[in-house]
Amino acid sequence: MKKLIYILSGLLALQLVLAFTLNLEHHGIQGQSKPKALLALKDGDIDHISISNNDGKTIDLTRTEGKWRLSDQDEFPANQQQVAALLQQILTLKHAGAVADSDNAARRFKVANKTFERKVVLSQQNVDMATLYVGTSASMRETHIRLDGEAQVYLADLPVYRLPVTSKDWMQQDLLQVKTANIQALKIGDITLRRTDVSKSATADKDQAPAAIADNAKVQKMVDKLIDDNGNKQALTQVSGKSSDNSGWQLTPLPVNSRINFGKVNQALQQLASLRLSDLLGVEQKPNFGLDKPLLQVSVQRNKGDEVTYRLAQMTDSKDYVLKSSLSQEYFRLPQAQGDAFVAAFKPAAFSEPLVTATPKADTSNPPKPVQVAVIGKAGNAK
């Protein structure tokens, strides 16, 4: 029995020694100290950022003429704010002293040369200024980090999720957006939506096909009220889908007995104003893109006089869509739901709606008087 107690006591002592060692390694072999800067670099010292994972995937960001670009994606524009924020975070990293300084610890915390979560290389004119190995997370705001060429492992605020290695996570997703205020006209198939000054609508070209001026909702209400006040019993219904941008749009041609559907027009404009790109597909058109027979072609005339085109097709081997615009040499992938919504928003037939008339109400101002019927008895029945 005593032998068993000795054995258990020995195991307990060994566990305490291991726990103390690990605790010492985690909290710093140099003890607690005032936070120090990890790097002695400034923003102007860096023009290239390379981010890699342990599987060999790499993203390269290069600053050219003050703009960050994806150098491995034909210099496609990167998200400027995102890259600038990351660089600022790296350059201002601080640590409170090393938590380990052994090769075993580097491997365990995944900051070794061949075992890491991320490898970040900061360069200037092809000269490496600093290389960081980013590893496991110790807490929400602490990640193990080691500088290349040093044995010390530090804790600093640089989470791995801030270091993705796919181009879609760094690309400028709003590159193809066109603000509604900058759109002068839209052409989809045989129809044209054109912004026009209502005051000039009377002098519109008489040779054009039938069109309608999309006055604002207040004008329509005034017209309906005048009709009612003049005794016309057929009141026009109001347009559904009101918006702050309903005035000054002309639809050519406009179907007979129809008017512009303001709600659908605004949905189409919103698609262009909020368009976000999902992924890059390169600069070469491929057979599976389906753009030889696009589902949608839209031409946008901007206020400054230039024209922007959009072509959208569904991929032959996927339910996703391919988008090509004259604003970029790249082809882009759109998820199925986003592509479906884009195509639906630009259906020409949706931009007009029939002029619906309300059923006349019965005039109850002078109700007819009840008619009294006298009943006369037959002769001989009187008593």
Side-chain angles (χ1 to χ4, degrees):
M1 184 67 179
K2 291 183 178 180
K3 185 177 181 180
L4 179 61
I5 293 175
Y6 290 148
I7 293 174
L8 293 176
S9 299
L11 290 174
L12 178 60
L14 180 60
Q15 287 179 340
L16 290 174
V17 171
L18 289 173
F20 176 78
T21 302
L22 291 174
N23 186 65
L24 176 64
E25 191 174 52
H26 179 76
H27 286 87
I29 60 175
Q30 299 174 0
Q32 295 295 328
S33 61
K34 185 177 180 180
K36 299 178 181 179
L38 184 67
L39 300 173
L41 296 170
K42 298 179 296 183
D43 183 271
D45 298 331
I46 308 301
D47 64 9
H48 183 268
I49 304 173
S50 175
I51 306 172
S52 308
N53 66 6
N54 208 35
D55 296 329
K57 293 182 179 179
T58 302
I59 195 76
D60 286 304
L61 300 161
T62 303
R63 181 154 49 186
T64 305
E65 297 180 351
K67 298 292 185 181
W68 287 101
R69 298 182 179 275
L70 295 165
S71 52
D72 55 347
Q73 293 290 338
D74 298 293
E75 303 299 319
F76 188 82
N79 185 320
Q80 304 301 309
Q81 292 78 14
Q82 182 183 2
V83 181
L86 174 67
L87 182 57
Q88 180 66 15
Q89 184 174 12
I90 293 175
L91 296 178
T92 57
L93 286 175
K94 294 182 181 298
H95 67 87
V99 298
D101 63 355
S102 67
D103 293 340
N104 288 335
R107 287 191 291 270
R108 184 168 67 254
F109 296 136
K110 292 189 177 181
V111 290
N113 287 16
K114 295 184 179 180
T115 306
F116 53 84
E117 291 290 341
R118 294 291 187 272
K119 178 181 178 181
V120 181
V121 181
L122 307 178
S123 307
Q124 170 72 284
Q125 296 183 356
N126 298 320
V127 177
D128 293 348
M129 306 299 290
T131 299
L132 292 77
Y133 292 95
V134 183
T136 58
S137 175
S139 66
M140 288 185 62
R141 299 183 63 86
E142 290 185 320
T143 305
H144 293 99
I145 293 177
R146 184 180 67 86
L147 291 172
D148 187 43
E150 297 184 6
Q152 291 83 1
V153 179
Y154 303 102
L155 285 174
D157 183 13
L158 186 60
V160 172
Y161 73 83
R162 294 289 303 272
L163 303 166
V165 291
T166 55
S167 57
K168 66 180 181 179
D169 291 312
W170 291 101
M171 61 188 286
Q172 182 183 342
Q173 295 182 325
D174 61 354
L175 182 69
L176 303 187
Q177 291 181 3
V178 179
K179 294 181 179 179
T180 300
N182 295 335
I183 297 177
Q184 182 64 30
L186 295 177
K187 183 173 177 57
I188 310 103
D190 297 329
I191 75 162
T192 300
L193 271 169
R194 183 174 298 279
R195 193 189 296 274
T196 183
D197 188 345
V198 177
S199 63
K200 298 179 181 179
S201 61
T203 60
D205 188 355
K206 297 180 180 180
D207 296 331
Q208 289 184 348
I213 302 300
D215 299 341
N216 58 38
K218 291 183 179 179
V219 175
Q220 182 65 50
K221 287 181 178 179
M222 290 173 62
V223 173
D224 292 349
K225 187 175 185 301
L226 286 173
I227 292 176
D228 292 340
D229 290 346
N230 287 333
N232 191 331
K233 297 180 181 180
Q234 292 185 337
L236 297 175
T237 61
Q238 298 299 319
V239 176
S240 60
K242 298 177 183 177
S243 171
S244 60
D245 193 40
N246 286 343
S247 60
W249 284 101
Q250 183 180 24
L251 177 64
T252 307
L254 182 73
V256 178
N257 295 325
S258 298
R259 63 183 175 191
I260 292 179
N261 186 324
F262 293 132
K264 296 301 182 181
V265 171
N266 291 318
Q267 286 180 18
L269 296 174
Q270 184 61 27
Q271 284 291 330
L272 295 174
S274 62
L275 176 60
R276 297 189 66 82
L277 305 171
S278 299
D279 201 0
L280 296 168
L281 295 175
V283 297
E284 296 183 4
Q285 182 173 335
K286 298 178 181 179
N288 66 319
F289 287 178
L291 283 171
D292 52 335
K293 295 181 180 179
L295 295 176
L296 175 67
Q297 295 189 80
V298 180
S299 296
V300 181
Q301 182 181 344
R302 296 194 286 191
N303 292 342
K304 57 184 180 181
D306 63 334
E307 185 176 76
V308 179
T309 61
Y310 296 86
R311 288 188 297 143
L312 193 69
Q314 195 161 29
M315 303 179 75
T316 59
D317 56 354
S318 170
K319 292 184 179 181
D320 290 345
Y321 287 77
V322 175
L323 176 65
K324 181 68 176 71
S325 172
S326 58
L327 290 174
S328 174
Q329 63 176 345
E330 296 277 352
Y331 292 84
F332 303 94
R333 180 193 297 271
L334 297 185
Q336 181 185 6
Q338 185 181 6
D340 287 345
F342 200 90
V343 171
F346 288 95
K347 286 185 176 179
F351 295 130
S352 62
E353 61 182 358
L355 285 170
V356 181
T357 57
T359 304
K361 296 182 179 180
D363 189 355
T364 59
S365 58
N366 295 306
K369 296 181 180 181
V371 178
Q372 296 181 354
V373 179
V375 179
I376 301 175
K378 293 181 180 180
N381 289 340
K383 293 184 180 179

